[in-house]
Amino acid sequence: MKQDMILVLDLGSEENPRLAREIRALGVYSEIYPHDISAQTLAALPGVRGIILNGGPNRVVDGVEIDASEAVYASGLPLLNIDHKGEAALPFDAKARRETLSRFVFDTCGAQANWNMDNFIADQIELIRRQVGDKKVLLALSGGVDSSVVAALLIRAVGKQLTCVHVNHGLLRKGEPEQVVDVFRNQMDANLVYVDASDRFLDKLAGVADPEQKRKIIGAEFIRVFEEEARKLDDIRFLAQGTIYPDIIESGTKTVKAVKSHHNVGGLPEDLHFDLVEPLKMLFKDEVRACGVALGLPKSMVYRQPFPGPGLGVRCLGAITRDRLEAVRESDAILREEFAKAGLEGKVWQYFTIVPDMRSVGVRDNVRTFEWPVILRAVNTVDAMTATVEEVPFALLQRITQRITTEVKGVNRVLYDLTPKPSGTIEWE
């Protein structure tokens, strides 16, 4: 079904994602585009009913204040020009914000509220079938929310033309590879190939401390593994990925510096031999979950904790060592177990542990130790663009600390990260 769309043009605002989400909450589809969108690109976009010129503190680029392209002003579409000079794009009062947008979207632009998951799924199935045809698709199936929803969409669209590959890169959580195989091969009857590439990934990452370089190595090696698996199969033409909108936004735009590169966005090798299928790339995280529910996936899967593509590789800070990696894995398992016992599972959006490449002095059995700290992180968010810190009961923190310092080898200290996003990101790397 053709859906009406409101464009948000990025003229230096950091509020673009929030603004796009507010428009979608009204039931109208919205996307973010650069300020210098061309006439060709604009003409090719279906259902555009209006454009918001969203200016902000990054509007001056190389000493020049940027403006929308001539194509925008010549389009004849309704325009809403917002230039808040560092303040919020619209009032922070949610009701006032929505009323302002509602008047522009519905009264001025005449848009119809036809943005919903049923329409999105129908559109994506049609687009996937048109793109793939009778060819085969290879999916990087981590078992996380994004790749699981992509799998469900592709199964609905192309069925057995899909082959799922689950790569154990040695950076997964405790018990996770076994769980992924059981759920997808045994319960969902997917064509699933399991590849244990732990040593291969960890050898490539040996001595690499820079987080961006680690992400690129992991992303590139993932593709190499898929290419090798594809050679064992016939007629693999497409690679499916669970790229979502925040991945693209956080990887940077012309006026907003990159927060971090994502393995689905910045880590692909230049000699990629597949065409990409990315049906979720325009969805925010909460919309991905809504899509999963609409597709009939079990809620235990849809509301599973988010897990970064590089896995524990970005939670073992600095150069990854196998002993510190094991400390991350074991401490993470304890944290998740204790949160579940305390009734916080499903109530806190994401929680995990981090082990930095540093040691501190401690005491164990009256003997001096020089061991790692473990950092606990627990945050709540709707769209992964901003996040607040969970107020964990102190008694629970004490119990987790006691277990980690007792049960995890090489750890003598536990810390709790109180930083929201911004100023911190959700992950440390």
Side-chain angles (χ1 to χ4, degrees):
M1 177 181 176
K2 183 179 179 181
Q3 296 177 344
D4 289 345
M5 175 162 55
I6 301 295
L7 298 190
V8 175
L9 291 195
D10 176 17
L11 276 82
S13 174
E14 296 175 357
E15 295 288 320
N16 294 320
R18 184 184 298 187
L19 186 57
R21 288 198 73 259
E22 288 288 347
I23 296 169
R24 292 188 188 187
L26 294 172
V28 178
Y29 186 59
S30 180
E31 288 184 7
I32 303 166
Y33 279 83
H35 69 283
D36 56 354
I37 185 172
S38 68
Q40 292 82 0
T41 300
L42 185 57
L45 293 174
V48 177
R49 302 303 298 266
I51 301 175
I52 297 178
L53 313 180
N54 201 32
N58 299 315
R59 190 161 188 166
V60 177
V61 178
D62 296 329
V64 178
E65 185 172 279
I66 59 174
D67 197 359
S69 63
E70 291 184 9
V72 171
Y73 290 109
S75 68
L77 293 166
L79 304 179
L80 175 61
N81 198 334
I82 304 172
D83 198 348
H84 45 86
K85 303 294 185 184
E87 300 174 1
L90 291 171
F92 277 110
D93 181 276
K95 183 178 180 182
R97 177 194 298 269
R98 186 154 295 186
E99 287 176 352
T100 300
L101 285 177
S102 181
R103 286 194 297 271
F104 176 71
V105 170
F106 297 117
D107 299 340
T108 305
C109 299
Q112 298 296 312
N114 52 13
W115 161 245
N116 58 61
M117 277 305 139
D118 289 339
N119 289 342
F120 172 81
I121 291 169
D123 288 345
Q124 287 303 317
I125 288 174
E126 180 182 344
L127 290 171
I128 291 168
R129 287 174 178 167
R130 189 184 307 162
Q131 180 184 8
V132 171
D134 60 354
K135 304 299 182 183
K136 294 182 180 179
V137 187
L138 195 63
L139 170 64
L141 179 56
S142 68
V145 177
D146 302 337
S147 65
S148 297
V149 175
V150 170
L153 254 180
L154 287 168
I155 290 169
R156 178 90 57 98
V158 297
K160 292 296 184 179
Q161 291 170 239
L162 172 67
T163 297
C164 300
V165 177
H166 176 57
V167 177
N168 180 1
H169 51 21
L171 305 170
L172 297 171
R173 291 174 286 201
K174 188 174 183 178
E176 201 159 47
E178 297 82 359
Q179 182 188 38
V180 169
V181 171
D182 178 62
V183 169
F184 290 95
R185 178 182 288 164
N186 301 336
Q187 299 180 31
M188 297 186 67
D189 193 32
N191 290 332
L192 178 64
V193 176
Y194 173 74
V195 183
D196 188 348
S198 303
D199 290 338
R200 174 173 170 172
F201 275 83
L202 294 179
D203 288 346
K204 285 270 188 181
L205 290 164
V208 179
D210 180 72
E212 288 294 278
Q213 189 63 21
K214 287 198 293 186
R215 287 177 179 272
K216 284 180 166 58
I217 288 172
I218 293 167
E221 199 62 21
F222 249 107
I223 301 302
R224 300 301 180 202
V225 173
F226 292 139
E227 287 178 330
E228 292 170 13
E229 293 304 318
R231 294 188 192 106
K232 303 174 186 177
L233 304 167
D234 295 327
D235 300 325
I236 295 291
R237 168 74 181 277
F238 295 94
L239 174 67
Q241 291 194 146
T243 310
I244 65 174
Y245 214 13
D247 296 344
I248 296 171
I249 295 169
E250 288 193 337
S251 292
T253 67
K254 294 181 180 180
T255 60
V256 179
K257 294 181 179 178
V259 178
K260 58 186 174 183
S261 69
H262 288 260
H263 70 290
N264 287 340
V265 178
L268 299 177
E270 293 181 0
D271 59 344
L272 179 68
H273 298 311
F274 303 112
D275 292 331
L276 294 181
V277 179
E278 299 175 298
L280 306 181
K281 67 181 180 180
M282 302 311 294
L283 294 188
F284 292 100
K285 194 72 181 189
D286 58 316
E287 294 171 334
V288 174
R289 296 185 190 280
C291 183
V293 171
L295 284 165
L297 289 175
K299 288 192 175 182
S300 60
M301 183 181 300
V302 172
Y303 291 97
R304 181 182 180 182
Q305 266 201 62
F307 193 54
L312 301 182
V314 292
R315 296 176 182 173
C316 185
L317 304 186
I320 298 170
T321 60
R322 295 181 186 238
D323 49 0
R324 254 189 331 115
L325 181 61
E326 195 59 26
V328 178
R329 198 181 333 265
E330 292 297 325
S331 60
D332 176 82
I334 290 172
L335 176 65
R336 288 189 289 132
E337 181 181 327
E338 289 297 331
F339 265 42
K341 288 180 181 177
L344 295 178
E345 187 177 39
K347 294 181 180 179
V348 181
W349 187 78
Q350 190 175 21
Y351 42 94
F352 54 89
T353 62
I354 302 141
V355 178
D357 188 12
M358 59 172 286
R359 297 174 186 264
S360 66
V361 175
V363 177
R364 190 186 305 278
D365 298 326
N366 296 318
V367 176
R368 180 182 183 273
T369 63
F370 193 53
E371 298 176 314
W372 304 301
V374 165
I375 301 164
L376 310 181
R377 184 83 162 132
V379 297
N380 291 304
T381 183
V382 172
D383 56 13
M385 300 304 297
T386 61
T388 58
V389 177
E390 174 69 15
E391 295 183 14
V392 180
F394 189 65
L396 177 56
L397 290 175
Q398 288 180 308
R399 184 161 61 252
I400 292 169
T401 299
Q402 192 276 329
R403 283 197 61 190
I404 289 176
T405 54
T406 301
E407 300 175 28
V408 181
K409 184 178 180 180
V411 172
N412 66 359
R413 195 179 294 268
V414 175
L415 313 172
Y416 190 61
D417 183 356
L418 293 170
T419 314
K421 178 182 180 179
S423 59
T425 53
I426 293 174
E427 299 288 343
W428 273 51
E429 286 190 343

